[in-house]
Amino acid sequence: LVSEDGGESIKAHSNILSVSSPVLKSMLNGGFSEASSKKITITQTLPTGSLKLFLQLVYCGCTSETNTQHAVVLGALDLSHCWQIDHVVEICERWLATLLRRSNLVEITEFAVLKGVSHLQNECKKYISADEDIMEKCRSGYFPAAVY
């Protein structure tokens, strides 16, 4: 199996992906072009490293990466959410909760609301409610409604 991440090709085992995801199982074993080509083309733009991180989490449920930027984890969460890989969704949600900062709060919170990932939404609400300055900005309309 070859997937493309911004022009980068990464090989993965179709059997492992099929066992991990009902969506990928259909794509790789059904009547779709991916079944015969054994190639999944990702058309969305992902931050560099998101696909690699996603595959590490699918294969191992962990990663040795320690300085991963929140955008890379959001990319891995987006893939795992789209392909219904719940254990990777949960890992990414917990990880992003530890990466919450004022500088990325809006981006992470809006993503959590858009995708309906409730654990991350709750963690964002806790982060917001623990900071009076952020709460004041929410009340004044500085942040989009999705943030609070």
Side-chain angles (χ1 to χ4, degrees):
L1 171 69
V2 179
S3 298
E4 296 181 6
D5 182 14
E8 178 184 11
S9 295
I10 299 177
K11 293 184 179 185
H13 299 90
S14 59
N15 290 342
I16 291 176
L17 296 177
S18 294
V19 168
S20 300
S21 163
V23 175
L24 294 175
K25 181 178 182 178
S26 289
M27 290 170 69
L28 294 167
N29 300 313
F32 298 97
S33 62
E34 293 86 357
S36 58
S37 69
K38 295 296 183 193
K39 179 179 181 179
I40 296 174
T41 301
I42 300 169
T43 57
Q44 70 212 63
T45 303
L46 295 171
T48 301
S50 291
L51 181 56
K52 179 182 174 188
L53 175 62
F54 165 79
L55 289 172
Q56 287 176 339
L57 296 174
V58 168
Y59 273 70
C60 306
C62 62
T63 180
S64 60
E65 304 293 325
T66 57
N67 294 324
T68 303
Q69 295 180 348
H70 76 278
V72 174
V73 183
L74 281 173
L77 175 56
D78 196 21
L79 289 173
S80 57
H81 181 267
C82 176
W83 290 333
Q84 300 176 7
I85 306 178
D86 295 338
H87 75 280
V88 177
V89 168
E90 292 170 12
I91 292 167
C92 290
E93 283 186 283
R94 288 192 309 269
W95 193 349
L96 285 164
T98 69
L99 297 176
L100 278 171
R101 304 288 181 274
R102 285 180 178 220
S103 61
N104 61 29
L105 178 62
V106 171
E107 182 181 7
I108 292 174
T109 305
E110 286 181 337
F111 183 92
V113 171
L114 177 68
K115 299 297 180 180
V117 286
S118 58
H119 177 74
L120 185 56
Q121 286 180 50
N122 291 335
E123 292 299 319
C124 290
K125 287 178 185 178
K126 286 180 196 175
Y127 186 90
I128 291 167
S129 64
D131 188 315
E132 188 54 42
D133 184 49
I134 294 174
M135 287 296 293
E136 183 56 38
K137 287 181 179 183
C138 288
R139 287 189 285 271
S140 71
Y142 179 80
F143 288 122
V147 171
Y148 56 96

